[in-house]
């Protein structure tokens, strides 16, 4: 049973925009905080944004002001609007879920559910 499934990745030039979507199962969407975690080639995974059940959001400094996380509770959907993309944003992006919004939200190992990932490539 697929719990999280990403869509919307692709290739874009620097300065461009992309919107990632994640379809979540109702079980996950109702009980967990949802976030986006990325992994660039040769680098460790990095949590970039999180949204909790109340709609409060958290962002990594590397994307603050450029990325916006949001969700549609009626559709059990999570989104990541990425503007002002930079080559260093090139990575595999994963939709992920964890039980709380506090604590070590930046720690990728604190996420218990993961999508299959989707590629984002930003060219200079």
């Amino acid at each position: 049973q697929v719990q999280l499934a990403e869509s919307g990745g692709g290739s874009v030039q620097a300065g461009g925009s992309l919107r990632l979507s994640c379809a979540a199962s109702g079980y996950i969407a109702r009980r967990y905080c949802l976030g986006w975690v990325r992994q660039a080639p040769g680098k460790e995974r990095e949590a970039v944004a999180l949204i909790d059940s109340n709609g409060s959001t958290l962002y990594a400094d590397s994307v603050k002001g450029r990325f916006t996380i949001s969700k549609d509770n009626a559709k059990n959907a999570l989104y990541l609007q990425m503007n002002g993309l930079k080559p260093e944003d090139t990575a595999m992006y994963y939709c992920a879920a964890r039980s709380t919004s506090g604590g070590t939200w930046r720690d990728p190992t604190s996420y218990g559910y993961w999508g299959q990932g989707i590629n984002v490539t930003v060219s200079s």
Side-chain angles (χ1 to χ4, degrees):
Q1 181 181 359
V2 177
Q3 306 274 20
L4 297 166
E6 304 91 341
S7 62
S11 298
V12 66
Q13 290 192 326
S17 299
L18 280 175
R19 188 194 196 205
L20 304 183
S21 299
C22 175
S25 69
Y27 176 86
I28 295 293
R30 288 190 298 269
R31 292 169 173 77
Y32 290 84
C33 297
L34 300 176
W36 292 94
V37 178
R38 68 184 181 185
Q39 186 167 23
K43 295 188 177 180
E44 295 184 351
R45 290 189 176 184
E46 174 193 22
V48 296
L50 184 79
I51 187 166
D52 69 13
S53 58
N54 295 320
S56 296
T57 57
L58 294 166
Y59 294 95
D61 289 344
S62 58
V63 306
K64 199 172 294 183
R66 299 186 298 121
F67 291 9
T68 302
I69 189 171
S70 62
K71 62 179 181 175
D72 185 329
N73 291 328
K75 297 180 178 179
N76 293 331
L78 177 72
Y79 305 102
L80 186 68
Q81 178 66 43
M82 304 185 292
N83 298 328
L85 283 161
K86 306 175 180 180
E88 52 263 44
D89 294 318
T90 294
M92 182 78 80
Y93 283 72
Y94 298 89
C95 177
R98 68 192 304 267
S99 59
T100 70
S101 62
T104 56
W105 79 272
R106 290 182 177 86
D107 181 0
T109 66
S110 70
Y111 292 77
Y113 292 91
W114 293 82
Q116 79 283 359
I118 195 162
N119 265 313
V120 171
T121 302
V122 185
S123 58
S124 57

